[in-house]
Amino acid sequence: QEQIDAAIAAAATAGQAAGMTDAELAAAAGAAAGAASVTAGLSPTQAAAQAGSAAAATAQAAGMTDAEIVIAAGAAAAATGASSGMTQAQQAAAASTAAATSGGSLGMTPEEQAQVGAAAAGAAAAAAAAASGATAEQQAVIAGQFAADIGASMFNMTAAAQAQAAGAAAALTAFSGGLSIQEQAALAGAAANTAALNAGMSSEEAAAAGASATGSATALAGSREGWTVEYQAQMAGAAAADFARDANLTVEVQAELAGAAAALVCYEGGLDVEGQAVAAAKAAFAAAFEFSQERQTIAGATAAGAAAALQASRMGQPCQSQAADAGNHTAFVLGRHGPLVASNFSGQAIAVEAGKAAAAGGILCGMTKEEQAEAAGAAASAGCLVNGCSAQQQIDQAIAAARVAGASAGMTELETDYAGSLAAGAAAAYNAAHVGKDMWEQAELAGFTAPMMLSSYVYLQEGENETTTSPKFTFQEQAAIAGKAASLAGRKAGMTVVEQARAASLASYAWSIANMEEDEAAAAAAEAAGLAASTAAAVEGLSPLEQAIAAGAAAAASGATWNQTAEWQAAAAGKAAGVAASMADMSAEDQALSAGAAAAAAGALAGMTPAEQWAAANDAAVAAAVIAGLPPYWQQVAGVEAAGAAAAAAASVAGLSGEDQAAAAGAAAAAQAAMYNFTGSEQAAFAGQAAAQGAQIAGLSPVDLTGASGAAAAAAAAAAGLSPEEQIAAATAAATSAAAGTVMSGGASASAVGAAAGAAAAAAGYGPIEVAAVAGKAAAHLAAKQGLIPYDQTVIAGAAAAAAGALMNLTTSDQIAAAVMAAHAAGEIAGMSDDELAVAGSAAAGAAASVAAAANGADAEQQAAAAGRAAAMIAAEDYNLTADEQAESAGRAAAVAIIAAGGTLQDQIDAAALAASAAAGVAGFTVSQRVAAAGAAAAAAATAAGTDAEKQAAAAGAASCAIGEQLGMTAGEANIASGAAAAAAATKAGLLIDDQTVAAAKSARNCSELAGQPVMEQNR
């Protein structure tokens, strides 16, 4: 690399001294880098890459344009490849790689890199051909061929891109070879045509590609001659048309290609959309000289519309805007003030062509057939209006354009009837806006005109003596289109979602009331309002659920407008919401729930009681479920769930607490389930599920949510006449299901479920001890199901039993007893040994005692002391453990209590030591034995906290020293006791004899220091 860098620097110095241009310096740097690379032993491919990189860097440093930089890179790589013995194809590939690589470093997109790479390949191949004596024409052909081949093989170019690259390369080579503009264009067209055919295009597609390349080459050559952009566009269009004519393409296609070529030149030349459209129109008009002047003008207008649509697409405009631009520019070209020769086009004729252009623009950007028809009608209406049509002519042309576009897009006859009627409404609204009417008047006119048009469509029946007619569309269908047309007009005029729905309701009712009963008209208006609201909400980007809610609210509001009852409004809301949910592709279950929610909300606004609201929710949900195709059982389930949700919502609106909202949901769901004759167990399950959902919406904690679910299930089971045991089972099952849906851990879930089971037992009349037992059993059962270890199961069972006992106002001693019983029972079920049961039972006692102490206002130290006393007592009385074991249990329980109270590790150690000493004293231990027990408990607490062996020993020694001092030992006795405790802890932790002695010595010296003894005494 140093050799290459030195060669580049030397070449630059020499080149500058010789007065080289920037381009020459870049070429010299590339050549020097390539030669040095070969000398340094690099392969020809590597040398070419080095040459390209050096040329690009030199060109960039000199401030050359991006295009000049990539050209320099490709040329340098090709030159090095040629001098290194590469074949023509290898040179082209090397040039392509170098150009694309330099383009990437300049920030070019992958597509741009592919274009410069293909161009460089063509130039390299042409240079190699020139060195072999090929003529300029032959070089151009070879350049086009290699540009297309490299574009396909190295950059995966599409067929169209390959043709474009081939044409550009051929044109550039022909220019470099001194050929005329006509020759450059001809060679570009031929190269593009050939490349397109080779890439698999049809002959017509290839000819179109050739025509486009011919036009581009003509414009590029003209720009070098100083032609204006407009003149370039004119000549490009003429050249493209000539090529298409020689390829025997139709006159229509010749005009289309001429317009496209001219518009592209204007776009690349920086002209705005009007400039592009006018140039396209003039080029297409000229190309269609074989046509009559009228058809020529239409060809020009069509080209203008296509150019406008393409420009709108480039600018990221939505499909509707692209289609509208196509129609507007087509109409402009055909109008009296258009850029072409004066024509005698009427407003109606202009409307026809504008509609066609808009539909064509819509097709290109993927409009549905309905959208194409709408765009065509709108364009025809606008084109007609600005060219002197009357209001009726404008409507007529909009209808015709929409029907033609719809039919072309594959609509049935009935669909074109609808499309025409909607177009009529839109045209009426457009005309109203043009004369200054406000948005409500625009919507009103649209809502009147559309159904009037629809009502005019009839079926003909040939009788024996006469022909009779019958309407194609019912009054309900006419009312629906009135609402749709009004809401569409309102949306275009800037109405909100609510306003569009109201406009739809007003229009539908106004049309219906003349032909229907009041109830029928109100129903039609509500359906129209709901559909308008959901459609508008979808356009606004709202979620499917929000669309359904909007539909329901709009339908209910419509019903209120037309003086319908609360029940009627709720039913209409549910129906509209269900329809909207279906249109938004929601699941059948969600459709039913949406319908129920909408009905309940409407009922609440209309003044229904909570019970009436959830009844309405049930009815609406069932109706929606039926329409959605759910089987009967699931229809009833949907009704039950909707009733529960509605009851919760009503409770929330009433300002009730989250617990009360959950209870209301459970009660309503159970009541509704009972109406459907579900079993008592099923009623309880529904109640629990509804309560959990209500609690979740109300923001209750996971624990409270679980309790609410269990309570609701228990209440439902009791109401259904189930036994106390069945009530408890229902509450447990519901709480378990509810807890599973929360973020609680396994232990927390088990505790919450135990509490729920205990609450159910209490509600069923169980005594306090029985309630505690039920809570512990349920908690242990779930803990076991969740895979917790046996000891954890006993801890959770004991805690649940104690908590339930506390709620039942048991004394502290009874709470402790309940905890021990529950832990023992859980341990037995889990298969614990007697020793393990003793540990679990005493631990449960300690935990229960500390919780009770905390509830009575005790501080952390007092809680720990209570825990230690209880654990030691149970260890002695229930499990007949030795005094050492009692002390151990006390220390362990005290440490756990400190942990629960948030104490530090040192707090845990201190509490464990104190509790163990106290327990040992109760058991009749001597002072020395109590001190030793305290040390062992301190070490155990440190071990449980995960400390290392040295810290465990230190904790034991320090605790024994402190306890010994408290119990009246002399300093010397305390020192010895401290060292002994440390040594015992070190031994238990597995330290070697030397480490044990060190631990003993440290602890004894520390104890002596704390006693204030002199250093000599500490050392002794």
Side-chain angles (χ1 to χ4, degrees), residues 577-634:
V579 170
S582 175
M583 290 174 59
D585 292 328
M586 292 174 78
S587 68
E589 292 78 5
D590 287 341
Q591 291 175 40
L593 289 176
S594 297
L605 287 175
M608 282 184 173
T609 65
E612 290 172 332
Q613 291 172 40
W614 62 253
N618 165 77
D619 293 343
V622 171
V626 171
I627 294 172
L630 289 178
Y633 171 81
W634 290 108

Side-chain angles (χ1 to χ4, degrees), residues 819-926:
V820 173
M821 289 174 60
H824 192 95
E828 284 185 327
I829 294 172
M832 282 184 166
S833 66
D834 289 342
D835 289 344
E836 291 171 329
L837 287 172
V839 170
S842 60
S850 68
V851 171
N856 290 325
D859 61 23
E861 290 75 12
Q862 291 169 327
Q863 295 171 37
R869 287 193 300 271
M873 180 185 70
I874 293 299
E877 295 179 1
D878 286 20
Y879 295 106
N880 296 317
L881 298 186
T882 65
D884 284 329
E885 291 170 329
Q886 294 171 37
E888 182 181 345
S889 296
R892 185 165 51 241
V896 170
I898 291 294
I899 293 173
T904 65
L905 172 58
Q906 190 59 52
D907 293 336
Q908 297 168 37
I909 293 170
D910 293 345
L914 282 170
S917 171
V922 172
F925 271 18
T926 64

Side-chain angles (χ1 to χ4, degrees), residues 144-595:
Q145 176 188 339
F146 273 89
D149 290 346
I150 292 295
S153 62
M154 292 184 63
F155 300 107
N156 294 317
M157 278 185 170
T158 63
Q162 292 173 44
Q164 182 182 354
L172 180 61
T173 303
F175 166 71
S176 300
L179 300 183
S180 68
I181 292 178
Q182 291 76 11
E183 289 170 322
Q184 294 172 41
L187 286 165
N193 183 269
T194 300
L197 289 170
N198 291 338
M201 281 188 172
S202 67
S203 58
E204 291 79 8
E205 291 171 329
S212 178
T214 302
S216 295
T218 300
L220 180 60
S223 69
R224 298 191 187 102
E225 299 292 326
W227 295 354
T228 64
V229 174
E230 290 81 358
Y231 189 62
Q232 292 174 41
Q234 178 185 339
M235 298 308 291
D242 287 343
F243 189 97
R245 193 174 301 109
D246 292 340
N248 293 320
L249 299 181
T250 64
V251 177
E252 287 87 350
V253 176
Q254 293 172 37
E256 178 186 336
L257 292 171
L264 178 61
V265 170
C266 291
Y267 166 69
E268 293 176 342
L271 297 190
D272 60 16
V273 64
E274 282 74 19
Q276 296 171 39
V278 168
K282 289 180 176 179
F285 180 88
F289 65 87
E290 297 179 28
F291 281 163
S292 66
Q293 188 177 83
E294 179 181 337
R295 293 185 65 189
Q296 269 185 283
T297 308
I298 291 174
T302 303
L310 179 58
Q311 179 62 11
S313 173
R314 291 191 189 106
M315 296 175 68
Q317 296 295 319
C319 206
Q320 287 79 1
S321 296
Q322 296 174 38
D325 278 3
N328 291 341
H329 283 82
T330 298
F332 166 68
V333 170
L334 293 175
R336 289 189 294 274
H337 304 293
L340 304 181
V341 294
S343 63
N344 293 318
F345 284 94
S346 66
Q348 293 96 312
I350 292 172
V352 170
E353 299 303 329
K356 289 179 183 177
I363 291 170
L364 289 176
C365 61
M367 276 186 172
T368 64
K369 57 188 180 182
E370 291 80 12
E371 290 171 332
Q372 291 173 42
E374 181 183 347
S381 173
C384 201
L385 179 66
V386 298
N387 284 282
C389 289
S390 67
Q392 188 56 52
Q393 288 172 329
Q394 177 192 345
I395 292 172
D396 291 342
Q397 292 307 315
I399 295 169
R403 291 181 68 91
V404 169
S408 298
M411 281 186 176
T412 64
E413 182 182 347
L414 289 178
E415 288 174 329
T416 60
D417 292 341
Y418 269 112
S421 298
L422 284 174
Y430 184 84
N431 189 60
H434 187 71
V435 297
K437 300 288 187 181
D438 67 22
M439 62 184 183
W440 292 102
E441 291 172 309
Q442 295 170 39
E444 181 182 357
L445 274 170
F448 175 75
T449 307
M452 182 172 65
M453 190 66 234
L454 199 67
S455 67
S456 69
Y457 295 122
V458 296
Y459 289 117
L460 300 178
Q461 287 94 28
E462 295 289 344
E464 291 185 6
N465 301 317
E466 61 179 351
T467 299
T468 58
T469 62
S470 62
K472 275 188 179 182
F473 299 96
T474 65
F475 291 134
Q476 285 78 8
E477 289 169 328
Q478 294 170 33
I481 206 166
K484 185 172 184 179
S487 62
L488 283 173
R491 187 186 314 154
K492 289 182 179 179
M495 283 185 178
T496 64
V497 172
V498 172
E499 289 171 334
Q500 291 174 48
R502 178 164 175 76
S505 172
L506 292 171
S508 180
Y509 190 85
W511 181 263
S512 303
I513 196 62
N515 302 297
M516 301 180 187
E517 297 295 329
E518 287 188 13
D519 279 355
E520 293 176 315
E527 290 180 12
L531 181 60
S534 64
T535 303
V539 172
E540 294 288 331
L542 300 186
S543 69
L545 178 58
E546 290 170 322
Q547 294 170 35
I549 291 172
S558 176
T561 299
W562 307 119
N563 300 315
Q564 299 302 308
T565 64
E567 291 76 11
W568 192 100
Q569 293 173 40
K575 182 178 180 181
V579 170
S582 175
M583 290 174 59
D585 292 328
M586 292 174 78
S587 68
E589 292 78 5
D590 287 341
Q591 291 175 40
L593 289 176
S594 297

Side-chain angles (χ1 to χ4, degrees), residues 578-829:
V579 170
S582 175
M583 290 174 59
D585 292 328
M586 292 174 78
S587 68
E589 292 78 5
D590 287 341
Q591 291 175 40
L593 289 176
S594 297
L605 287 175
M608 282 184 173
T609 65
E612 290 172 332
Q613 291 172 40
W614 62 253
N618 165 77
D619 293 343
V622 171
V626 171
I627 294 172
L630 289 178
Y633 171 81
W634 290 108
Q635 295 170 23
Q636 294 176 346
V637 169
V640 170
E641 291 178 348
S652 174
V653 171
L656 300 185
S657 67
E659 290 79 1
D660 288 340
Q661 293 173 40
Q672 190 62 59
M675 293 180 190
Y676 287 127
N677 294 320
F678 282 105
T679 66
S681 297
E682 290 173 324
Q683 294 173 37
F686 282 128
Q689 179 184 351
Q693 291 173 343
Q696 184 177 21
I697 294 172
L700 294 186
S701 69
V703 171
D704 291 339
L705 181 151
T706 302
S709 179
L722 298 185
S723 68
E725 292 77 10
E726 290 172 321
Q727 295 171 36
I728 294 169
T732 304
T736 300
S737 177
T742 70
V743 295
M744 286 193 291
S745 65
S749 294
S751 297
V753 169
Y766 281 34
I769 298 298
E770 294 171 306
V771 167
V774 167
K777 182 178 180 181
H781 180 69
L782 182 56
K785 282 184 66 177
Q786 292 177 330
L788 274 64
I789 62 174
Y791 180 76
D792 289 343
Q793 295 173 34
T794 64
V795 170
I796 290 168
L807 289 174
M808 297 298 290
N809 296 317
L810 288 178
T811 64
T812 298
S813 59
D814 285 341
Q815 292 175 39
I816 293 170
V820 173
M821 289 174 60
H824 192 95
E828 284 185 327
I829 294 172

